[in-house]
Amino acid sequence: MWYLCVFYHRLLDYRKPEVESLADLFSKDLTDLQCNGSLEWKLPKHHHPDSPFHFVNLPSEEIARSVANRSILVKGIFELWGEGSNFEELEESIKSYPDEKQLPYLTSDSTFKITVETFGKVISFEEQTERIRSLSYIPFKGRVNLKNPYHTFWLIETDDYDSNNGLPPIAGKRIFFGREIGTADRKLLPTYQLKSRTYLGPTAMDAEMAFLMANQAQAKSGKLVYDPFVGTGSILVAAAHYGAVTMGADIDIRVVRDGRGPDCNVWSNFKQYGLPMPIGLLRADNNLPPWRSGLKEVFDAIICDPPYGVRAGGRKSGGRKLLKGVIGPYTVPDDKRTGHIPSTAPYSLVECVHDLLDLAAKMLVMGGRLVYFYPVLREDESIDTTFPEHPCFKLVAISEQLLSYRYSRVLLTMVKIGPYTEEIALAAKIKHLEFKENHLKWLEEGNLHSAVFSPADNHLNGSGDTKITKDSKARYRGKYV
């Protein structure tokens, strides 16, 4: 059935993938159907693709309600009773909506309220009241209840405006009227905001983004979620909020063991929100995985933000002298192990991504999800559409967030579709080598910091023209917030 989906006007590239992931999750939970990661979408008349208003085809009202109630970026999902370019067209459209779909919600034993919402303009309380009174042709028989109604109806109005106000242009005014199916609860974002978090680090994931990643990974009760670059645990906190069992690892033993004291560490972040503690936090290196031989298909989802050299560079075990062969392998004496901090060496981004995909292919269950960020330099269009691949995975969602005029990060969502074998591992290694050869030097070095923050003068070509060109696509307010 088709529903009107109204989004919050922010993180535009993340909106549809989140809805599709949640629809797939609840389709498997509530019915025997599967959305397979893709839904039908339509735009209202006169609306730009970046508009917050979209029509979406969902399997059932129960699934639509579940998606809306859990989503971070959906403002509400509505059963549309009518729409028009003016109130006369709206009245005609509502009157033509089938009675058998209207009357069950207009009975005398029910209560209701009408909410007036606008986009692109502000109207006064008197104007809102006038618009509600103009709906007198709808045969409401129940009583008005503004605090706890059985049914909530929305009158949503957009204005006709050009692109000068920073919003996506709408060629003509549009008015929608519909019954509320479900709305998002964004109150959890202030609850989990970073500024009130007990234990923070320089790479702590923003609460909104962490919840989006958890939704993309379909975290829920009974699932085991793993973060191999756990840091201060921000992503696992979001997964635990949805009931998932969590587990994490980090190469820095000081993070997972000590934090900043007994009352300021990763564990205290879970305690702060009354969430179940992780079943384990490991000091582990993705380059030298700690798992015993033959262990496979343990995790339902892997969610992470790999170190790609902007705020923090990647590290792997060994140290420069050990990797160069200056010294041989050694064993730390028992009397020095308590305070020992293992030596590490630089870990290039391309090596980090390869190890992450290999870990996920081996340790994820069939149908499990890998959700991770990948950096993109926007001046080089060749890497905008070229992302790491693996024979075990299908890429189902790509969502971009622009962080500066030159650099963005892309959230990749991959689903495991095939078993891990030695032949698959060999094929993945070949793909990794091809990927490595086709990418720029900064990717191999794993240090984006100099490329992102270096002066623009360093990137002028011989003719004096900068390599950086403005994308012809309009950037609307809130798109890359």
Side-chain angles (χ1 to χ4, degrees):
M1 181 175 175
W2 286 95
Y3 296 91
L4 175 64
C5 181
V6 181
F7 291 105
Y8 287 99
H9 191 59
R10 54 183 291 102
L11 298 170
L12 306 194
D13 283 351
Y14 292 75
R15 301 182 307 183
K16 289 182 180 179
E18 185 198 23
V19 171
E20 290 176 346
S21 293
L22 292 177
D24 182 61
L25 170 64
F26 292 118
S27 294
K28 290 182 286 189
D29 285 350
L30 301 175
T31 69
D32 294 329
L33 301 174
Q34 289 193 29
C35 293
N36 297 319
S38 181
L39 297 173
E40 290 183 84
W41 296 86
K42 293 192 302 186
L43 276 172
K45 189 176 180 181
H46 303 312
H47 279 249
H48 189 277
D50 288 340
S51 165
F53 301 94
H54 287 75
F55 294 119
V56 60
N57 191 6
L58 293 169
S60 70
E61 182 173 316
E62 188 176 6
I63 291 174
R65 182 177 297 107
S66 299
V67 169
N69 291 345
R70 172 158 165 172
S71 172
I72 298 299
L73 296 178
V74 171
K75 192 169 189 175
I77 293 180
F78 308 93
E79 177 193 359
L80 190 66
W81 284 18
E83 62 173 315
S85 299
N86 51 56
F87 283 95
E88 290 74 21
E89 287 185 13
L90 177 66
E91 179 177 350
E92 183 179 345
S93 178
I94 293 176
K95 287 181 177 178
S96 65
Y97 194 67
D99 288 343
E100 61 270 19
K101 292 185 177 182
Q102 289 190 43
L103 295 180
Y105 307 101
L106 305 176
T107 58
S108 58
D109 59 345
S110 65
T111 58
F112 72 96
K113 79 170 182 178
I114 299 175
T115 299
V116 178
E117 180 79 10
T118 60
F119 182 75
K121 66 176 183 179
V122 177
I123 61 175
S124 65
F125 178 76
E126 289 74 17
E127 290 174 307
Q128 294 182 39
T129 304
E130 181 181 347
R131 281 160 172 73
I132 293 175
R133 288 173 177 169
S134 70
L135 300 172
S136 58
Y137 52 84
I138 301 176
F140 290 105
K141 296 180 180 178
R143 295 176 292 104
V144 173
N145 186 332
L146 299 181
K147 291 186 177 180
N148 189 27
Y150 290 158
H151 310 296
T152 300
F153 299 88
W154 287 62
L155 179 67
I156 307 173
E157 183 178 341
T158 67
D159 204 3
D160 49 343
Y161 47 80
D162 55 28
S163 59
N164 294 331
N165 64 352
L167 297 174
I170 296 179
K173 179 178 179 179
R174 207 70 185 159
I175 309 171
F176 305 97
F177 181 82
R179 178 176 63 90
E180 177 188 301
I181 302 298
T183 56
D185 179 15
R186 284 178 66 90
K187 293 179 181 178
L188 63 88
L189 296 184
T191 301
Y192 286 91
Q193 61 186 337
L194 291 184
K195 67 181 182 181
S196 61
R197 189 75 55 87
T198 300
Y199 181 44
L200 283 180
T203 59
M205 183 62 66
D206 170 71
E208 182 179 39
M209 193 60 68
F211 281 106
L212 282 173
M213 296 174 77
N215 282 342
Q216 286 290 86
Q218 299 181 341
K220 68 167 188 174
S221 179
K223 285 193 174 185
L224 178 58
V225 175
Y226 179 64
D227 182 356
F229 309 100
V230 67
T232 58
S234 297
I235 294 175
L236 293 188
V237 164
H241 171 83
Y242 292 126
V245 179
T246 59
M247 182 176 178
D250 202 283
I251 195 170
D252 190 344
I253 193 171
R254 294 165 294 184
V255 172
V256 296
R257 184 185 63 187
D258 305 323
R260 295 193 179 95
D263 298 320
C264 187
N265 50 43
V266 179
W267 306 96
S268 62
N269 284 343
F270 289 82
K271 183 178 180 181
Q272 177 182 355
Y273 303 114
L275 298 173
M277 296 293 178
I279 60 172
L281 294 176
L282 311 176
R283 188 280 173 187
D285 180 5
N286 236 22
N287 189 246
L288 297 171
W291 319 109
R292 71 173 185 266
S293 177
L295 185 64
K296 293 182 180 179
E297 300 190 359
V298 174
F299 305 117
D300 296 287
I302 295 177
I303 319 173
C304 62
D305 182 24
Y308 37 79
V310 175
R311 290 185 292 178
R315 308 292 296 179
K316 63 181 179 180
S317 298
R320 291 182 176 87
K321 291 184 179 180
L322 182 62
L323 294 177
K324 291 179 179 179
V326 176
I327 61 173
Y330 60 91
T331 301
V332 180
D334 290 342
D335 59 328
K336 295 183 179 180
R337 288 193 176 191
T338 302
H340 177 70
I341 299 176
S343 58
T344 59
Y347 193 24
S348 70
L349 176 61
V350 69
E351 190 177 11
C352 175
V353 172
H354 170 70
D355 292 341
L356 175 62
L357 289 174
D358 189 68
L359 166 75
K362 186 180 297 184
M363 301 300 289
L364 279 177
V365 300
M366 289 296 295
R369 292 197 164 208
L370 169 63
V371 180
Y372 69 103
F373 272 113
Y374 184 77
V376 169
L377 287 179
R378 294 197 52 80
E379 68 211 275
D380 190 334
E381 297 299 327
S382 66
I383 60 174
D384 278 349
T385 55
T386 305
F387 300 108
E389 297 179 356
H390 194 285
C392 285
F393 288 99
K394 175 184 177 183
L395 183 62
V396 297
I398 302 172
S399 307
E400 183 185 21
Q401 182 186 23
L402 187 66
L403 299 179
S404 75
Y405 74 101
R406 299 187 56 213
Y407 155 65
S408 63
R409 62 180 181 179
V410 177
L411 185 65
L412 301 179
T413 303
M414 309 176 82
V415 177
K416 185 176 178 180
I417 58 173
Y420 183 86
T421 63
E422 294 299 326
E423 293 77 14
I424 288 293
L426 180 60
K429 187 174 182 180
I430 295 173
K431 280 185 176 291
H432 162 67
L433 294 174
E434 293 174 352
F435 175 75
K436 179 177 177 181
E437 291 174 0
N438 292 335
H439 277 64
L440 298 176
K441 193 170 185 292
W442 61 262
L443 184 62
E444 168 57 22
E445 293 175 346
N447 182 14
L448 278 172
H449 191 278
S450 59
V452 172
F453 296 106
S454 59
D457 293 343
N458 294 341
H459 303 277
L460 298 178
N461 58 28
S463 62
D465 295 330
T466 179
K467 291 182 181 178
I468 305 168
T469 58
K470 289 187 178 180
D471 195 333
S472 57
K473 184 180 179 182
R475 303 296 187 198
Y476 301 112
R477 185 172 68 222
K479 180 164 187 178
Y480 300 110
V481 173

